[in-house]
Amino acid sequence: MGRTFVFVNQKGGVGKTTSALNIGAYIASEGKNVLLVDFDAQANLSSGVGAKPPRPGIYELLSGKATIDQAIKKTGVARLDVIPASIDLSGAAVELIEQEDRNLFLKKALAPVKSRYDFILIDCPPSLGVLTLNGMAAADSVLIPMQCEYFALEGLSLLLKTVQRIQRGLNRSLGIGGIFFTMYDPRTRLAQDVVKQVSAYFKSAVFSTIIPRNIRLSEAPSHGQPIVLYDPNCAGARAYQSLAREIIRRSAVQNAKAAAAVAPAKTAPKDETHGGGA
């Protein structure tokens, strides 16, 4: 059973796209079929995997100008595909607002290929607008990248309230897939305090892997490569490989629970004996 994750944080610059890109690449390197969905008009995820041409992509798919097979592109990593974005996607946010089922367009668009992939990873814009709501409506779980700074704590509270609102309406099965820390600098007391506070409050929802600040992670997208191709031996690469493996393990547990929940209950054996008096 494949799982769909959406990367969400309304605050920009937290490593959301970098995380979606590199987690997807490392999950694929573990032998899983992965589809990246660039749902941000900045199209940084698309350029980060060298997706050319970007059209047809997610905008053409949503607007009915292309099929999903036409929109999916191969990448330089085996088993890793991408549906790229372009600046045209910025117009989709305006167009969707006027539609009756405006928050369900992405879910319907991805439905034909869900069985093809073990993981679908959706990268949303740094906002809680209609595109991000579409991402959460289409997903099984939310992955939250969090920078180790004070204002990130305030943003996390708002984001969790939005997730609860989605759970009550658009997507009752949406869960918190996990919270992970990015751009961690162990030399700062603030970073250490943020990790301790969030870990103490959210406990098992927090991944044990922490992504450090790493210059090679910043360089890789400009070369159109995930870190697994650009510099697999750097500290950032090792961290994303570890995080990808954590996500795979958690997903296996979640799939097992889901399978158990829908399994038919065992019926008691039929009593073939017949009581009778002499």
Side-chain angles (χ1 to χ4, degrees):
M1 182 190 304
R3 293 193 68 81
T4 301
F5 290 91
V6 59
F7 289 75
V8 178
N9 196 314
Q10 72 274 23
K11 186 178 184 302
V14 300
K16 179 174 54 59
T17 299
T18 297
S19 297
L21 163 64
N22 290 304
I23 289 170
Y26 271 112
I27 290 177
S29 72
E30 295 286 326
K32 308 294 184 182
N33 295 319
V34 180
L35 175 64
L36 298 174
V37 180
D38 192 345
F39 214 44
D40 186 344
Q42 296 180 80
N44 291 332
L45 179 65
S46 303
S47 60
V49 292
K52 296 178 182 179
R55 300 178 180 85
I58 191 65
Y59 174 75
E60 288 76 16
L61 174 60
L62 293 179
S63 61
K65 298 175 182 177
T67 66
I68 193 162
D69 287 315
Q70 291 171 330
I72 293 174
K73 308 289 191 297
K74 296 293 183 182
T75 73
V77 177
R79 295 180 178 271
L80 181 68
D81 295 341
V82 63
I83 300 180
S86 66
I87 190 62
D88 295 339
L89 186 59
S90 59
V94 177
E95 295 168 15
L96 287 175
I97 288 176
E98 300 177 356
Q99 304 299 317
E100 184 176 350
D101 295 330
R102 59 183 175 273
N103 294 319
L104 300 175
F105 270 63
L106 183 60
K107 181 178 182 177
K108 293 175 181 177
L110 295 178
V113 299
K114 284 204 69 171
S115 61
R116 291 190 209 169
Y117 295 96
D118 300 300
F119 291 85
I120 297 177
L121 308 181
I122 305 168
D123 181 36
C124 290
S127 69
L128 295 177
V130 66
L131 295 182
T132 299
L133 294 180
N134 262 263
M136 287 195 279
D140 300 304
S141 301
V142 176
L143 290 176
I144 305 172
M146 187 172 173
Q147 196 173 353
C148 301
E149 60 177 34
Y150 172 75
F151 290 113
L153 293 171
E154 294 184 342
L156 181 59
S157 176
L158 175 60
L159 175 55
L160 293 176
K161 289 179 181 178
T162 301
V163 171
Q164 290 171 354
R165 194 171 80 243
I166 297 297
Q167 290 169 330
R168 290 193 297 267
L170 289 173
N171 187 354
R172 294 184 181 277
S173 62
L174 182 67
I176 300 296
I179 300 167
F180 60 92
F181 299 102
T182 63
M183 304 179 191
Y184 179 71
D185 186 346
R187 297 171 298 178
T188 67
R189 179 64 178 272
L190 177 59
Q192 296 174 31
D193 288 344
V194 169
V195 170
K196 287 179 181 178
Q197 289 182 46
V198 175
S199 299
Y201 187 80
F202 291 100
K203 298 181 173 60
S204 61
V206 179
F207 288 98
S208 60
T209 302
I210 297 176
I211 309 300
R213 285 193 177 276
N214 184 254
I215 187 64
R216 303 297 277 175
L217 286 175
S218 302
E219 293 173 352
S222 65
H223 295 268
Q225 293 181 326
I227 197 65
V228 66
L229 296 181
Y230 184 68
D231 188 353
N233 297 314
C234 71
R238 293 193 298 271
Y240 272 119
Q241 183 179 43
S242 175
L243 181 55
R245 288 172 175 171
E246 274 197 81
I247 292 171
I248 291 172
R249 288 195 296 270
R250 287 197 185 193
S251 295
V253 171
Q254 291 165 343
N255 285 340
K257 289 181 179 179
V262 299
K266 292 183 178 180
T267 56
K270 188 175 182 181
D271 187 357
E272 299 293 343
T273 62
H274 299 278

